[in-house]
Amino acid sequence: MSTHDQTRSLAGRTILMSGGSRGIGLAIATRAARDGANVVLLAKTDKPDPRLPGTVHTAVAAIEAAGGNGLAVVGDVRREEDVAEAVDRAVATFGGIDIVVNNASAIALAPIGKLPPKRYDLMLDINARGTFTLISAALPHLYKSDNPHVLTLSPPLNPDPVWLHRHAPYTISKYAMTMLTLGLAGQNHPRPLAANCLWPRTTIATAAVQNIVGGDTAMAVSRRPEIMADAAHAILSRKATDHTGQCFIDDDLLRSEGITDFSVYRYGDADEADLKIDLFLPGGEHA
C-alpha cells in the first residue's frame, strides 16, 4: 500500500537490512522490492514464533512476490561473523551493496533499577553495536556504489530530559544509533555517501507496539508501517548529495514530497488529532 507514486526508483539497487522479518523493516523491504530492488535480510527468526508474526523466509517470499529479489541470512547482528556473512553473501549474490538499513532494534522501557542488566546489554548490543558493526562491515562496498546510502531507524536527538527520566537505558541505545549515523555523515568519504535517520511521528502498528508499548489501545491510535516505507523510499531514491546528516520525521518528509492526505496510513479509526505521538518527540510524553 502506498500513496507515493514517484518516478525515482530503487530498481537494481541492493539493500542490506538488519532485521526485517516483520513490521517497519518488512514494509521498507517490500516497498523497495516493488521497484525491483534486491534485499538482503540479516535476521534471527528462522522458524515461526507464536509471539511474533513472520520469519526471515516469509519476508523474502513477500519481497519476491512484490517484484524484487530477496536473500535470507539467518544470523544475529550482535555477532561479527554473522554480519560479515551477510555482507559477503550480498556481494556474492548481487555484486555489491548500495544501501544499508539499520532496522533491527530491541526495546525495553523500564527505568534504571527495574531493568535487568541482561536487557540493558541486549539493547546496547543490538541497537548501538549492531548499527556500528553493520555499517563498518558494509562501508568498503558502499564506497563502490554510485549512490550509497545508510538509513537508520532512530529518533532525532531531543534534549528534553523526560526521555532519560522515563527510560534512560532505551533512550541511550536509540540516541546512540542516531549519533553513529550522524557521525558517519560527517566523516570524510572517498565519494558522496548519504547517512540519515528516520523516525515516525506517531506510533506504528507493529508487534513491538502491541506487545511492549501499549497493546490494543496503542495500536488503535497508530499508523501503518507503510508510512515509514514510503518515507524511506523517498530518502533512499534521492541522490546521495541531496541530504546527509539529517533526522527525518516520516510525515514531514512525505509532505516535502507532496503528500498531504495521511488518512490512508491509519491503522485504526482514530482521527489524526487523536493519534499517539511516538517516543522522543514533543507531545509523546503526554500521549
Side-chain angles (χ1 to χ4, degrees):
M1 181 196 79
S2 172
T3 64
H4 198 188
D5 183 19
Q6 56 173 309
T7 57
R8 300 198 306 268
S9 175
L10 296 176
R13 303 311 246 177
T14 297
I15 299 171
L16 173 60
M17 177 185 294
S18 59
S21 297
R22 61 192 66 84
I24 292 171
L26 179 58
I28 291 173
T30 53
R31 175 65 186 90
R34 291 199 346 244
D35 286 0
N38 311 311
V39 185
V40 181
L41 300 180
L42 170 61
K44 288 176 59 180
T45 313
D46 184 33
K47 296 180 174 58
D49 184 327
R51 301 166 299 173
L52 297 168
T55 68
V56 66
H57 306 295
T58 60
V60 165
I63 288 164
E64 294 177 343
N69 299 300
L71 177 65
V73 180
V74 178
D76 190 332
V77 75
R78 293 175 292 176
R79 291 170 50 88
E80 289 179 66
E81 54 268 45
D82 291 358
V83 172
E85 180 188 357
V87 168
D88 290 346
R89 288 183 62 189
V91 173
T93 305
F94 299 118
I97 299 171
D98 300 293
I99 296 166
V100 167
V101 178
N102 295 297
N103 164 74
S105 189
I107 180 173
L109 299 180
I112 297 170
K114 294 186 178 180
L115 182 74
K118 285 187 177 181
R119 294 295 297 175
Y120 177 84
D121 289 344
L122 180 72
M123 286 194 292
L124 268 292
D125 283 349
I126 293 176
N127 301 358
R129 189 176 186 278
T131 296
F132 169 80
T133 305
L134 191 65
I135 293 172
S136 299
L139 200 54
H141 302 284
L142 289 172
Y143 287 154
K144 298 176 183 178
S145 171
D146 62 1
N147 193 33
H149 282 260
V150 171
L151 183 64
T152 302
L153 304 188
S154 60
L157 300 176
N158 186 343
D160 189 336
V162 65
W163 305 112
L164 291 173
H165 297 169
R166 289 183 64 177
H167 37 67
Y170 178 63
T171 300
I172 289 170
S173 74
K174 294 305 290 188
Y175 283 0
M177 296 173 71
T178 300
M179 294 172 78
L180 287 165
T181 306
L182 298 182
L184 177 70
Q187 290 181 201
N188 292 322
H189 301 291
R191 63 171 42 195
L193 179 147
N196 295 293
C197 301
L198 177 64
W199 194 247
R201 170 80 57 195
T202 70
T203 53
I204 300 295
T206 63
V209 167
Q210 173 77 56
N211 298 335
I212 298 171
V213 175
D216 292 340
T217 301
M219 293 285 278
V221 289
S222 296
R223 285 173 172 162
R224 298 178 183 274
E226 285 78 8
I227 190 170
M228 287 286 283
D230 286 348
H233 183 279
I235 296 167
L236 298 173
S237 60
R238 293 174 173 177
K239 293 179 181 178
T241 51
D242 286 353
H243 293 283
T244 191
Q246 302 295 308
C247 292
F248 293 107
I249 303 300
D250 57 359
D251 56 8
D252 284 344
L253 187 280
L254 290 177
R255 283 189 189 93
S256 75
E257 295 280 317
I259 304 299
T260 56
D261 180 9
F262 296 98
S263 62
V264 68
Y265 296 118
R266 288 183 204 151
Y267 181 80
D269 297 327
D271 292 333
E272 284 285 307
D274 296 326
L275 294 178
K276 183 177 176 65
I277 303 299
D278 203 9
L279 306 177
F280 308 115
L281 298 179
E285 67 271 24
H286 306 301

